[in-house]
Amino acid sequence: MGPLRVAIGGLGTVGAAVADILISRKDLIAARCGRQIDVVAVSARDRSYDRGVDLSGVEWFDDAAEMAAYADANVILELIGGEDGIAKAVCENAIGAGRHVVTANKALLAMHGTPLAQAAERANVAVGYEAAVAGGIPIIKALREGFAGNGIFSVHGILNGTCNYILTTMRETGRDFDDVLSEAQELGYAEADPTFDVDGIDAAHKLALLAGVAFGTEVNFGAVHVEGIRHISADDILFAEELGYRIKLLGIANRTDPGVEQRVYPCMVPMDAPLAHVEGVFNAVVAEGDAVGTSVLQGAGAGAGPTASAVISDIVDIARGMVLPVFSVPASKLTRAQTVPIGSRAGPYYVRLTVLDRPGVIADVSAALREEEVSVEALLQRGRSEKGSVPVVLTLHETVEANMQRALARIAELDTVVEPPCMIRIENL
Ligand code: HSE
């Protein structure tokens, strides 16, 4: 078979790392694929910038969308990013011209995954996106191939390294969120605009893709309930430790009788759960299947090397002739799942209140909980305050979220509760 010709759209750290690996490990990769893989074209804004890769002899395009349509290539890599605009044009042009697409772009696929999958399958080309979810962890391959004999009923995990780094550092140092975020930005671990990461949107993009491939459902980013980590305080992290939990931002997708649950929120996981020990920038994904049982995959979620490694695994699949349905079943067979609203969640909860330190406060809080049939498991108060207010922590037995929310609204109205309640779900994974 002749060489597979690859065109790279976007030569940032990931694009340059992909080019470097494809060029410097040409013989190894050719031996694994049974054919050579040649980088034949690239597109990036600045031709003069030294990326540490020898691109002599490679055709240069100023416009990646034009490259996708006209380069003499079999595979177009979209490593530009963004949920629309040039990234979408690159993928559409590539598919329109009958070329395979490999992308690391979770936002694009979370928004347009189903129509792109339909177009790709009509054109009999692949859309590879291993790099879009949890970087170097081969979770798409695991779900689509390794677990193909299973009914998957849950896929969940730590999908954002920035949040996991911040929560880990808060726990290790006792510092507050804002302080740790600023330092993470200075060190380059967090973006100057951290919104996508710390507000849970990046994890939600990834979760929407995981749910699609795990359950064979249309990708539905709009159905993901999303909460970030800005409201988590150093106190919450300490109380979590005391109660035997760690706080993690999780993406959780469950297939249940009423439909599909897709949720991203910070939650407490028991100290003995594998996810509690995934720290720093690492990601981990847990898949639960009816044949395989529980499988945990852990690894680097981002960075040039791990992301490039995932991109190249997709290119190698294409070189070997593998063109799989994008989301594990043909796009025409993807089902439209009923969304299970967050109000239906049933589980235990942690609530931290800031209350005036005077008699009767706990009675008022208990009355609000009783009215909504929320049952207290434990109550913690540490010390007395000279400022007049103290944190009081409650854990609540399994409760339906709608009841919990109504109870919290009642509690927030009490004169003796001086700050909005902080609620964190407990996930006994
Ligand atoms: N910003 C992401 C993270 C990596 O912090 O995990 C790319 O999705």
Side-chain angles (χ1 to χ4, degrees), residues 125-249:
V125 295
V127 174
Y129 56 102
E130 189 63 72
V133 182
I137 303 175
I139 184 61
I140 303 301
K141 201 170 245 309
L143 290 170
R144 200 165 48 175
E145 298 170 49
F147 303 147
N150 287 260
I152 306 283
F153 47 88
S154 180
V155 55
H156 54 268
I158 296 170
L159 303 176
N160 186 271
T162 304
C163 287
N164 207 42
Y165 170 83
I166 291 172
L167 292 170
T168 301
T169 307
M170 287 173 71
R171 184 181 65 75
E172 287 173 347
T173 63
R175 287 152 59 203
D176 264 317
F177 171 82
D178 288 331
D179 188 20
V180 174
L181 173 62
S182 302
E183 185 189 72
Q185 287 170 313
E186 278 161 30
L187 294 171
Y189 296 151
E191 305 277 347
D193 178 358
T195 307
F196 264 43
D197 289 319
V198 301
D199 292 336
I201 300 160
D202 174 77
H205 286 147
K206 295 166 184 168
L207 188 74
L209 300 181
L210 287 177
V213 74
F215 308 142
T217 48
E218 290 181 1
V219 178
N220 190 353
F221 173 72
V224 186
H225 174 88
V226 191
E227 295 174 25
I229 63 166
R230 289 184 200 262
H231 62 288
I232 303 296
S233 71
D235 278 351
D236 295 321
I237 301 224
L238 277 177
F239 280 122
E241 290 275 304
E242 193 166 333
L243 293 163
Y245 297 102
R246 287 216 171 130
I247 300 179
K248 296 287 176 190
L249 181 79

Side-chain angles (χ1 to χ4, degrees), residues 239 354-362 380-392:
F239 280 122
T354 306
V355 302
L356 295 179
D357 193 7
R358 67 181 193 218
V361 175
I362 298 301
L380 285 178
Q381 181 182 339
R382 290 282 172 269
R384 304 206 68 171
S385 167
E386 285 161 18
K387 291 184 292 183
S389 64
V390 287
V392 167

Side-chain angles (χ1 to χ4, degrees), residues 313-377:
S313 79
D314 282 334
I315 301 172
V316 166
D317 278 353
I318 293 166
R320 289 169 169 163
M322 279 172 64
V323 177
L324 301 177
V326 179
F327 295 107
S328 75
V329 296
S332 59
K333 298 263 189 303
L334 291 168
T335 54
R336 191 163 294 183
Q338 189 71 30
T339 298
V340 182
I342 189 69
S344 306
R345 177 191 184 266
Y349 292 81
Y350 157 103
V351 173
R352 178 177 48 81
L353 304 174
T354 306
V355 302
L356 295 179
D357 193 7
R358 67 181 193 218
V361 175
I362 298 301
D364 293 345
V365 169
S366 300
L369 294 169
R370 187 192 58 222
E371 291 301 313
E372 301 300 343
E373 298 177 42
V374 179
S375 164
V376 175
E377 182 198 46

